[in-house]
Amino acid sequence: MSKPSPEAHERDRGMDAHNAVMRDIRAERDETYDAHEPTRVWLDEDNTPQGVKTSLTIILNTGGCRWARAGGCTMCGYVAESVEGGSVSHEALMDQIDVCLDHEAENADEPAEQIKIYTSGSFLDEREVPAESRRAIAETFGDRERIVVESLPDFVSAEKLSAFTEQGLETDVAIGLETATDRVRHDCVNKYFDFADFEDACAAAADADAGVKAYLLMKPPFLAESEALEDMVSSVERCAGVDNCHTVSMNPCNVQRYTMVDELHFRGGYRPPWLWSVAAVLERTADADAIVVSDPVGAGADRGAHNCGECDDRVQTAIKDFDLRQDPSVFEQVACECERTWELVLAEETAYGQPLAR
């Protein structure tokens, strides 16, 4: 892969030192990807403002996140799965949609009620997904009930979202806010925008009669377990207080290749969050004025959120149950001796001396 370099849009945004390191790490990638095949596609269920819906989740293979090409977020390795060259044609993107529809036809009895489209960047960035493709995708899924598209706040506008709302689709834009704390977002995640920009994006979505789903990141690098837990509780509550943000998805950080988190983890300087911490945040924010969910990627693995190995599956099942029912009592049904270790970590771990336990 050619070494990424900042473009005018990215220059002087975020931490220059982080960006320089991230560009070096990302330059190690040598895989190539087919522009006519999606990165991933799967079927699942999601809790929505209209209740639990079947979902077809699509990760389109694009030229990659604009910010990531400048260096980007410390934990995000998704740009490593992008097509080299910075852009994918309209025809290739629609071929990817056809592959996803074929997958759905082969694996579902009927069409999914909700479509979720991610690009490992910003679906509303027209360098990644041209306006022509956005409109064609809106028409393709115009017979469904709901659609979710992903974007950084910069690219959210009523005009872009109207391609979906004018089809009669209940429309949400998913924004990778990561945290409501600007200091943590800038210094730990290396994401350039402020919480005020997220609030502006929520207002822009409202102008198109679209909603917002905030994505938060549990335990970015350089935070102790207790700091990460408290930051998530505060972030969920602040997001729930923003007009038009109806859902908060808290994603525990997992260790992806070609990232700063991967480098730290390899050297023993980072541990993904405990599943007990994920459960604790969900319990403490169960009364928030929003749907609060979590889907730990790689749960139970060393590179994903995990406990001791004995109880991981049970806690993960309780988290999934909470996502669908929003009932914190599900966590009363799981227990393990490793909770004592987790409680010690919360009490004693410091950011400059973590991880206290693997």
Side-chain angles (χ1 to χ4, degrees), residues 77-91:
Y78 293 129
V79 71
E81 299 176 332
S82 301
V83 173
E84 189 166 1
S87 64
V88 173
S89 70
H90 168 70
E91 291 74 20

Side-chain angles (χ1 to χ4, degrees), residues 109-171:
D109 294 331
E110 55 187 27
E113 299 161 292
Q114 174 173 260
I115 304 297
K116 299 195 297 182
I117 303 181
Y118 304 94
T119 66
S120 303
S122 292
F123 180 89
L124 299 180
D125 179 357
E126 293 186 351
R127 191 183 72 170
E128 284 192 65
V129 180
E132 176 187 16
S133 304
R134 182 175 67 247
R135 290 190 293 267
I137 290 170
E139 292 174 4
T140 298
F141 294 114
D143 60 341
R144 308 302 175 98
E145 295 180 22
R146 308 190 84 259
I147 193 162
V148 181
V149 296
E150 176 186 32
S151 181
L152 286 167
D154 309 44
F155 308 110
V156 177
S157 71
E159 184 273 326
K160 292 176 180 176
L161 292 171
S162 65
F164 302 98
T165 56
E166 288 174 358
Q167 293 288 329
L169 287 162
E170 291 286 341
T171 303

Side-chain angles (χ1 to χ4, degrees), residues 5 18-19 57 77 99 139 179 198 233 343:
S5 60
H18 274 7
N19 279 337
T57 302
V99 171
E139 292 174 4
T179 170
F198 169 76
V233 171
E343 289 167 354

Side-chain angles (χ1 to χ4, degrees), residues 287-301:
D287 293 332
D289 189 21
I291 298 169
V292 184
V293 298
S294 184
D295 184 16
V297 175

Side-chain angles (χ1 to χ4, degrees), residues 174-190:
I175 298 176
L177 175 65
E178 316 307 355
T179 170
T181 309
D182 289 342
R183 179 188 64 82
V184 174
R185 189 182 320 100
H186 296 162
D187 295 350
C188 299
V189 181
N190 195 44

